Amino acid sequence: MSCTIEKALADAKALVERLRDYDNAAESLIEQTMALNKQVEAMKQTLFCQIKFIDSYKLNEVARHRPPRSTLVVGIQQENRQIRELQQENKELRTSHEEHQSALELIMSKYREQMFRLLMASKKDDPGIIMKLKEQHSKELQVHVDQITEMAAVMRKAIEIDEQQGCKEPLKAKSKKPSQ
């Protein structure tokens, strides 16, 4: 039994020595990590200063090569014309879309009527089916009428807003001309 206690004590001493070695290695790694962290921070600071210098240099270059004000005004006027043209085209497209939508709804309602008549002709004996189809057709037709009415109201409102904004833009442009 004394042999095993001595062996356990020897093993414990060896483990303590190993733990000390690991502790020393960990301390060394911590010191190295801190040194590397300081180097990284220094590099970040240097890089930040370089970026800041480059950005200020670029801003100065841009300021030196900025086009004259008259060129900017002409460019803005051209953009305004293009915007007005696009707004007009949008109005025309909305109107065209609305017309196509109503035409499609008319075609679909005619198609439903024809199908209803065809079904009525083939199912004269069953009045329950005919009533059910009539109700379904009238509900669908009402839903489509409501949708068309809603779309028309939205389109009118959008056109009014576009026209109001279109009227405001020339007034702004006129009021800015004397200050140039």
Side-chain angles (χ1 to χ4, degrees):
M1 198 176 226
S2 67
C3 187
T4 57
I5 291 175
E6 288 176 2
K7 185 176 181 182
L9 285 175
D11 287 344
K13 285 182 182 178
L15 287 173
V16 167
E17 285 299 317
R18 249 198 244 160
L19 282 174
R20 283 186 187 142
D21 290 342
Y22 287 151
D23 189 42
N24 290 337
E27 288 294 324
S28 174
L29 285 174
I30 289 172
E31 289 174 4
Q32 290 175 0
T33 304
M34 290 175 68
L36 286 174
N37 192 20
K38 286 180 183 177
Q39 287 178 348
V40 167
E41 287 299 320
M43 289 175 155
K44 281 183 184 177
Q45 187 65 27
T46 303
L47 183 63
F48 176 74
C49 290
Q50 289 174 348
I51 290 173
K52 197 172 180 181
F53 175 76
I54 290 171
D55 285 345
S56 65
Y57 178 76
K58 285 181 181 177
L59 285 174
N60 287 335
E61 284 297 312
V62 168
R64 282 190 213 122
H65 298 297
R66 189 176 60 195
R69 187 172 186 186
S70 60
T71 306
L72 293 174
V73 170
V74 169
I76 291 171
Q77 289 173 346
Q78 288 175 347
E79 287 178 10
N80 284 341
R81 264 187 257 120
Q82 290 172 346
I83 289 171
R84 279 190 228 108
E85 290 170 3
L86 288 173
Q87 286 174 339
Q88 182 61 33
E89 186 177 341
N90 280 346
K91 288 177 189 176
E92 292 169 4
L93 287 172
R94 278 189 211 113
T95 305
S96 175
H97 175 68
E98 204 172 274
E99 290 171 358
H100 287 316
Q101 190 71 24
S102 61
L104 183 61
E105 291 298 326
L106 179 63
I107 290 169
M108 289 305 294
S109 67
K110 293 291 182 180
Y111 171 76
R112 287 185 196 104
E113 274 181 41
Q114 291 295 324
M115 291 305 293
F116 178 71
R117 287 183 188 152
L118 182 63
L119 282 172
M120 279 182 53
S122 67
K123 302 270 183 181
K124 285 187 179 180
D125 299 334
D126 194 358
I129 292 177
I130 293 172
M131 289 305 292
K132 188 176 180 180
L133 289 173
K134 279 184 180 178
E135 289 174 13
Q136 183 181 2
H137 175 68
S138 65
K139 286 179 184 177
E140 288 176 1
L141 191 59
Q142 185 60 40
V143 166
H144 291 301
V145 166
D146 291 343
Q147 287 176 344
I148 290 171
T149 304
E150 183 180 341
M151 285 190 298
V154 169
M155 294 304 235
R156 278 190 217 103
K157 184 67 177 175
I159 289 171
E160 288 174 13
I161 291 171
D162 284 346
E163 287 175 353
Q164 288 173 356
Q165 289 178 349
C167 290
K168 289 180 183 177
E169 286 180 15
L171 293 176
K172 287 180 184 177
K174 287 180 183 177
S175 66
K176 288 183 180 180
K177 283 186 181 179
S179 64
Q180 291 177 359

